[in-house]
Amino acid sequence: MKTRMKNILIVLGLLMPIGLIGQVVEVDSKEYHDLKVNNGLMDVVLELNEDMFKPKKPFTPIETSSNASKAGACDCYVEPDTSYTLAMGPNDDGSSALITIPFNFCFYGQTYNSFYINNNGNITFDNILSAFSATAFPSVGPKIIAPFWGDVDTGGGNGTVVYKITPTAVYVNWEDVGYFSQQGDKLNTFQLIITDGIDPVITSGNVAFCYQDMQWTTGSASGGVGGFGGTPATAGTNKGDGISYFLISRFDHPGVDFDGALGNPDGISWLDDKSFFFDICNTTNIPPIPEGISLCDTFKICSLGDTADIPINFLSPEVNQITSVTFNNGGLASLIEVSNTPGNTAQIVLRAIGTPADIGVYSISVTATDDFVPAGVTTITFVLVIDSLGSAMDPQLAPLVGCDSVTVSVLNGPYDTYLWDDLTVGNDATVNSTQTFGVTVSLGGCYKRVEEPVIISNAPVFNLPTDLNFCGNGAGGGLFLDLDDSLNMTQVSWGLLDPVEDSSYSNTLPAGTYTINAMDAYGLCSNDTTFTINEYEFPQIFGDTLACNLGLFMNTTVSEGGGVWQSADTSITFYQQGTLIEDNTIDNPQISTSTPGTYTVSYTDNTCNVELIADITFPPYVWVGLPDTVLCYGVSYELNPAQEASVTSWDWNTGSSDSMIVVTQPGVYTVTVSNICHSGAATAVIGYKVCDIAAPNILSLSSAVGNNIWFVESEGIESFECNIVNRWGNNIYSFDSTTGGWNGRNSNGGLVKEGTYFYIINAVLEGGEELTKHGFIQVVY
C-alpha cells in the first residue's frame, strides 16, 4: 500500500470534464498522461509518492570519445561520470526527493541548503514544480532556477536527469532529454551548476547555465507541434515576488536568431554550446553576463600583417536595463574598437592587427556596466597572441562587383570560422550596397581579417508616372517628367533632336511617343522604357450645391471622353434623366437620394484620369409636433416642439420667433417651422385645472362605516410619497400612490396604539411643481 506523502493542487488553465474535478491523480500515471493529452488537468489534485520517481537502477554514464572532463576548452558543460546519481527514473512532470547539500547556497539574499530537481528543466526550493508550460519572468510564483523550463519527458528511453554533489558545488545534467509525449526525434542536453560562490568551477558568481546541442522548445500539451510553437520555453531565474529575476530569453522555434530578453522569443539553436556565469545572490541587481567569450578564450594572429575582429556580447539580466561596454587594450596600442552598441544586449567588436612591433601575448579586459543604481559591473579578460610562426592564410573575397547585389565568398578556404562585417557567420555573405566589406576567418586557432571595396550598382529606375496624359484645354504645353534616379545614371537619351534636351534628366514633353535609355553610374546596369503622352481637355462639373426635393438634374458637365460618377454613400443613385434606369457613366445624370443629408460625389474622366469632387446638400422635408396638455393653475409650461433637426426658423401665433415659448395661460398655440427648402406647422391646445391634496385627521380602527382606512383625495398629481411617523419621528408606514392608504398598522403588520401620528406628503404636480403637506392623524379604537 502506498503512503500519500504530498498533495498539491495546481491549476494549469486547461479544461477538464466536470466529473473529474477534485479527483486525486498520481503524476506520471497513465491516467495523468491521458488527462494531460486531453487538456484535462484543471482542478485535479496531483499525488506525489516518495517511491514514484525513485530510480529503479543506478545511473550508468554514457561513454564519450573525449577524455577531458569538459566538452570543450571554453565550455562549462561537465560530462557525467560514475560519481553522478540518477535524480529520478524515466517520467513526465516528476521531481526528485528533497536533496540536501553540504554548503550554503545564496539565492536573492536568502540561504538554502536543500532543493528539488524537477524533470522539466529547473530546480525549486520550497516545493516541487510539475508545471510543464513555462511562464515568463518576472512572475509571482515559485523560487526557481531554470536553465531550460520546458515540457521534458524522459519516458520511452528519451534521456536521463542526473546530479552530483561536491562539498562546494552541485551539478545537475539533463542528458539527451526528449519532450512530451515521449518524443525523441529531437533531444536537448544542458546543465545547471550551483556553488557556494567560491568554488572556481564558476569563474564569476554562484550559478552557471551550460548548454550542448539544443533541438526542441515545446511539448504538445503546451501547444507545440513537432517540438516547436505554443508556449515558449524559459531560461533564467525568478525570485517569485514579481520583481527580482534574470532572463536570458524565451524560445519557441528552430534557428539561431536572438534579439535579447526584450524582444520576441528566439531560436533554440542560439543556445548551442553557450555558457553563462552569474551571481544570483545579489538581491537588487545582477551584473551583465558575457556571451560569446569567456576567461579561457585565446585569440591568435599567426602571421604579421593579419588582422582579426573579435565580437563580445553582454546580456542585461533585467529586461529594463541598458548595458554599456568599455575595454582595456592590455598594452596593445593597435587594438581598436570597430563598433560599440549599448543596449539590453550590448556588443563591442574589437580589431587586432599583427605588426612586428606588437609580437607578444596580451591580456585584454572588457568591462560591461548596466544603468542600475548602484550599477552592476562585469569584467572579463581574454588572451590575445600576436606572433609570426603560424602558417600564412590567404583568404580572398570574390566577386566584388554586381548589379543590385552580390554574394561574396572567401577563396582559398575552407576555414574553421567566419565573422563577416554584418555579423553573420556563414561561409558567404550578401552585400546590397557599395561599401568596404570584410570577414575574419580562423584556421587551426589562427585568425585573419580581409576586406575589399565591393561595388554594387542598381539598374536606373525611371519612376515615370502611371498617368501620362495632360489636360491642356487646347493651349498646347506638355507634361513635365523628372528622372528622380538621375544620381545613379552616367548617361541618358530621350530620343530628342536637341542634344541638350536629349541628355537632360528632366524635360517637358508635348504629346507624342518617346523612348528613354539610361546607364548606371558604374556602367554595370542599363535600362530603357517606351511611353506615350496624350493631351486632353480638362473636364468640368458643378461646384458644391443645394438640391431640394432629394434630386439634382445635371446639365453642366464638360468631358472629352466621358467618365464615371461615384459616391461612397450607397443611398446616392445616378439615373438617366426622366427615367428610373441607373447609369453612372453618362455625363449629366439625375443624382437622387432617399435620405436627406450632405453627400460627396466624384466624377473621374476616362482620358485625363482627373477626379473632380463636389458636395450636394439635400435638405429634409420638415415635420413638427406640439403636445396638447392640461396643466395645474400656477404652473409655467415650456412648449417645445418636436421637430426635424434641419429646422432654422420658427413662427408662433404669439408673435415669437424663438425655438420654444413659455405658456402660463390656457389657449390654442400654433407654430410654423422652416428650413432652406421646406416648411410645416403644428397646433397645441393648452388647458388648466385645480391641483391639490386633501387628507382627513382621524382614523377609527373599530369603525365599520369607512373611516377605518386613512387615505387622501387628490387632483393633478404626477408623483406622490406619504410617510406616517409617530411623535418621536420614527417612520411607521409609507405608501407611494394616491390610491393607497393606511390601515393603522406598522410596516411589520401589527396595529399601532391609540394616539396622535403625523403624515408627511411630498408630491409633484402635473407640470413639474413640487408640493409638500404636513398634518396629524388621531388614531382611536
Side-chain angles (χ1 to χ4, degrees):
M1 178 177 181
K2 294 183 177 180
T3 302
R4 184 174 299 169
M5 298 298 292
K6 297 183 181 73
N7 286 337
I8 297 176
L9 184 66
I10 63 170
V11 180
L12 300 179
L14 304 174
L15 299 176
M16 66 166 292
I18 294 177
L20 293 176
I21 294 178
Q23 178 174 330
V24 177
V25 177
E26 286 189 355
V27 176
D28 212 49
S29 65
K30 182 180 184 302
E31 188 174 9
Y32 173 85
H33 178 274
D34 293 342
L35 287 173
K36 181 174 176 179
V37 168
N38 294 294
N39 293 337
L41 291 176
M42 173 81 73
D43 292 335
V44 172
V45 177
L46 302 182
E47 182 183 71
L48 299 178
N49 185 275
E50 64 180 352
D51 295 325
M52 189 174 301
F53 301 109
K54 186 175 181 180
K56 304 299 187 293
K57 60 182 180 179
F59 167 67
T60 302
I62 300 173
E63 293 295 332
T64 63
S65 59
S66 173
N67 295 323
S69 61
K70 293 188 177 185
C74 290
D75 185 357
C76 70
Y77 189 85
V78 177
E79 294 285 355
D81 55 23
T82 56
S83 65
Y84 274 71
T85 300
L86 196 62
M88 63 201 86
N91 77 98
D92 170 48
D93 301 339
S95 301
S96 71
L98 184 65
I99 296 174
T100 301
I101 59 177
F103 59 88
N104 293 328
F105 175 68
C106 181
F107 181 81
Y108 289 104
Q110 187 171 353
T111 298
Y112 289 92
N113 299 104
S114 61
F115 62 89
Y116 298 92
I117 300 174
N118 302 304
N119 196 60
N120 288 329
N122 58 76
I123 69 171
T124 49
F125 297 95
D126 297 330
N127 290 297
I128 62 96
L129 181 65
S130 58
F132 49 85
S133 291
T135 61
F137 297 157
S139 63
V140 176
K143 299 178 179 65
I144 184 173
I145 301 179
F148 182 80
W149 183 5
D151 195 0
V152 174
D153 189 344
T154 56
N158 295 318
T160 55
V161 182
V162 296
Y163 70 99
K164 177 175 72 171
I165 300 175
T166 74
T168 55
V170 176
Y171 302 77
V172 184
N173 293 52
W174 285 262
E175 290 282 308
D176 293 324
V177 293
Y179 59 95
F180 186 83
S181 163
Q182 296 190 7
Q183 299 301 303
D185 60 311
K186 303 176 184 69
L187 301 173
N188 287 346
T189 298
F190 55 97
Q191 180 182 59
L192 166 66
I193 305 174
I194 64 173
T195 74
D196 59 358
I198 300 174
D199 191 316
V201 70
I202 295 179
T203 56
S204 177
N206 65 343
V207 177
F209 290 174
C210 313
Y211 299 92
Q212 296 288 274
D213 190 13
M214 302 292 288
Q215 299 178 351
W216 62 267
T217 66
T218 316
S220 61
S222 302
V225 176
F228 301 112
T231 302
T234 299
T237 69
N238 187 46
K239 185 179 179 181
D241 59 0
I243 300 173
S244 299
Y245 72 103
F246 153 51
L247 181 64
I248 293 176
S249 188
R250 306 192 77 197
F251 302 88
D252 68 355
H253 59 271
V256 296
D257 56 292
F258 178 78
D259 59 0
L262 277 174
N264 298 316
D266 297 307
I268 187 62
S269 293
W270 179 83
L271 284 176
D272 287 352
D273 301 314
K274 282 191 169 56
S275 300
F276 300 91
F277 303 92
F278 53 95
D279 185 355
I280 205 63
C281 185
N282 192 325
T283 59
T284 57
N285 184 38
I286 300 175
I289 297 172
E291 181 274 314
I293 189 171
S294 64
L295 291 174
C296 53
D297 280 333
T298 297
F299 294 88
K300 293 180 64 178
I301 296 178
C302 301
S303 296
L304 298 181
D306 288 354
T307 62
D309 283 357
I310 305 168
I312 306 166
N313 294 339
F314 285 90
L315 309 181
S316 302
E318 292 81 14
V319 172
N320 60 348
Q321 291 184 4
I322 300 297
T323 292
S324 301
V325 184
T326 60
F327 76 100
N328 184 293
N329 62 21
L332 180 58
S334 62
L335 185 68
I336 62 173
E337 180 181 278
V338 176
S339 66
N340 192 330
T341 306
N344 187 254
T345 298
Q347 183 185 69
I348 187 172
V349 178
L350 301 178
R351 177 171 296 172
I353 304 172
T355 65
D358 291 328
I359 292 176
V361 178
Y362 299 88
S363 181
I364 310 300
S365 63
V366 181
T367 299
T369 306
D370 62 34
D371 59 358
F372 191 79
V373 179
V377 180
T378 299
T379 298
I380 62 171
T381 302
F382 63 92
V383 175
L384 178 60
V385 179
I386 297 178
D387 64 29
S388 60
L389 303 178
S391 300
M393 292 184 288
D394 186 26
Q396 295 182 12
L397 301 182
L400 299 176
V401 296
C403 186
D404 295 328
S405 67
V406 63
T407 299
V408 181
S409 300
V410 185
L411 305 180
N412 302 325
Y415 299 95
D416 296 336
T417 64
Y418 301 81
L419 175 64
W420 296 89
D421 283 356
D422 60 2
L423 303 182
T424 58
V425 294
N427 294 344
D428 50 48
T430 299
V431 181
N432 297 307
S433 62
T434 297
Q435 59 185 287
T436 298
F437 194 73
V439 64
T440 296
V441 298
S442 70
L443 183 64
C446 296
Y447 290 79
K448 182 173 182 176
R449 171 181 169 80
V450 61
E451 65 181 24
E452 296 287 350
V454 179
I455 296 176
I456 302 299
S457 185
N458 302 107
V461 177
F462 302 112
N463 289 328
L464 297 179
T466 56
D467 181 6
L468 291 172
N469 305 316
F470 71 96
C471 298
N473 289 330
L479 180 67
F480 177 76
L481 297 179
D482 180 66
L483 304 181
D484 57 11
D485 195 34
S486 59
L487 294 179
N488 189 40
M489 301 178 186
T490 55
Q491 58 185 26
V492 62
S493 172
W494 298 76
L496 303 177
L497 295 178
D498 187 321
V500 175
E501 293 179 348
D502 187 56
S503 60
S504 175
Y505 294 108
S506 62
N507 276 301
T508 298
L509 302 176
T513 299
Y514 304 88
T515 297
I516 302 176
N517 291 279
M519 179 68 71
D520 74 286
Y522 296 101
L524 297 173
C525 308
S526 63
N527 199 4
D528 64 77
T529 185
T530 298
F531 57 94
T532 299
I533 297 176
N534 299 297
E535 179 182 2
Y536 299 107
E537 183 179 3
F538 200 85
Q540 301 176 39
I541 63 170
F542 63 93
D544 295 346
T545 190
L546 171 73
C548 295
N549 300 315
L550 303 180
L552 177 66
F553 291 83
M554 299 288 301
N555 60 9
T556 60
T557 303
V558 175
S559 177
E560 181 172 301
V564 177
W565 290 93
Q566 289 181 310
S567 176
D569 198 296
T570 57
S571 67
I572 292 293
T573 306
F574 303 91
Y575 294 107
Q576 295 180 10
Q577 294 193 25
T579 74
L580 293 179
I581 300 173
E582 293 188 26
D583 189 350
N584 68 334
T585 64
I586 58 176
D587 286 346
N588 290 291
Q590 174 187 338
I591 305 176
S592 301
T593 182
S594 60
T595 306
T598 297
Y599 301 92
T600 299
V601 298
S602 67
Y603 178 79
T604 303
D605 79 304
N606 296 329
T607 53
C608 293
N609 196 32
V610 173
E611 182 184 36
L612 303 176
I613 297 175
D615 288 336
I616 307 174
T617 299
F618 298 95
Y621 293 101
V622 171
W623 58 266
V624 63
L626 288 175
D628 296 336
T629 187
V630 178
L631 306 173
C632 297
Y633 279 113
V635 173
S636 297
Y637 180 66
E638 290 185 353
L639 192 55
N640 196 354
Q643 61 195 7
E644 204 283 323
S646 68
V647 170
T648 57
S649 67
W650 297 262
D651 183 15
W652 295 87
N653 61 348
T654 63
S656 174
S657 60
D658 295 332
S659 62
M660 54 82 65
I661 61 174
V662 177
V663 175
T664 60
Q665 299 293 328
V668 177
Y669 296 86
T670 301
V671 66
T672 300
V673 300
S674 303
N675 65 15
I676 196 170
C677 285
H678 307 287
S679 63
T683 298
V685 177
I686 307 299
Y688 275 81
K689 64 183 178 180
V690 177
C691 302
D692 201 0
I693 296 174
N697 60 8
I698 190 167
L699 173 62
S700 177
L701 299 181
S702 61
S703 174
V705 293
N707 63 344
N708 58 354
I709 298 293
W710 183 87
F711 57 89
V712 300
E713 295 181 349
S714 64
E715 178 71 22
I717 302 301
E718 185 174 286
S719 66
F720 173 88
E721 179 184 30
C722 180
N723 294 300
I724 310 297
V725 300
N726 59 21
R727 67 180 65 186
W728 296 281
N730 298 324
N731 192 70
I732 301 301
Y733 189 78
S734 300
F735 59 99
D736 59 6
S737 173
T738 57
T739 61
W742 182 41
N743 61 2
R745 297 180 182 273
N746 57 30
S747 58
N748 294 324
L751 288 171
V752 302
K753 297 179 180 180
E754 284 188 328
T756 300
Y757 296 83
F758 303 89
Y759 66 85
I760 304 170
I761 296 175
N762 294 300
V764 177
L765 302 180
E766 294 176 357
E769 184 177 352
E770 295 182 353
L771 175 65
T772 301
K773 281 206 169 189
H774 305 268
F776 72 90
I777 307 171
Q778 188 68 40
V779 177
V780 298
Y781 281 90

